[in-house]
Amino acid sequence: MRSSDYINYFAEIKTLDISEQEVLLEKARYEVFTNQKLSGKSALYFIVSLLAAMLIAIIPPYIIGFSLIINTIFLGFGILVSQYLSKWLNGRLLYKGLKHVVSSNGI
């Protein structure tokens, strides 16, 4: 997870400068993975997003039919859903650390 992907993502720190947001997000990432030990949960989220992409790409062609165009469309859609799901799930995880960092910094 790159914390720079979450610049202007959280309302609590959206009003801060980009450099300040980067520092807080890095601290939040460190808090989540090191102090709260939630790296296993992040790995689980990665696997869930991959499984979602695979299901979206594999199941519909069996129902609709095997066509190159259909398979390509569902594969692309599965990748988009996987990216969105991964960012959303990891954002919720990062938010846990951000709440702790923001409360300890008094922002």
Side-chain angles (χ1 to χ4, degrees):
M1 168 187 2
R2 293 185 319 184
S3 55
S4 62
D5 290 343
Y6 295 92
I7 302 276
N8 293 328
Y9 189 78
F10 300 106
E12 289 83 358
I13 61 171
K14 201 175 226 182
T15 58
L16 300 175
D17 291 335
I18 291 176
S19 59
E20 293 174 357
Q21 286 186 40
E22 287 177 351
V23 169
L24 286 174
L25 289 171
E26 273 302 313
K27 287 180 182 179
R29 189 180 65 78
Y30 181 81
E31 172 68 27
V32 166
F33 288 118
T34 305
N35 298 339
Q36 296 180 7
K37 297 181 180 12
L38 296 175
S39 58
K41 203 171 202 180
S42 179
L44 177 67
Y45 289 166
F46 178 70
I47 292 170
V48 166
S49 66
L50 285 179
L51 286 175
M54 287 175 45
L55 288 175
I56 291 171
I58 292 173
I59 292 176
Y62 283 104
I63 297 168
I64 298 171
F66 293 96
S67 167
L68 182 61
I69 294 172
I70 291 172
N71 291 346
T72 305
I73 289 170
F74 280 108
L75 179 63
F77 184 66
I79 291 171
L80 288 175
V81 167
S82 174
Q83 290 291 320
Y84 174 78
L85 186 62
S86 177
K87 184 171 182 172
W88 183 76
L89 289 172
N90 282 319
R92 298 300 97 204
L93 196 63
L94 189 60
Y95 185 68
K96 290 179 182 181
L98 186 64
K99 284 193 305 188
H100 183 269
V101 168
V102 167
S103 67
S104 67
N105 286 345
I107 295 176

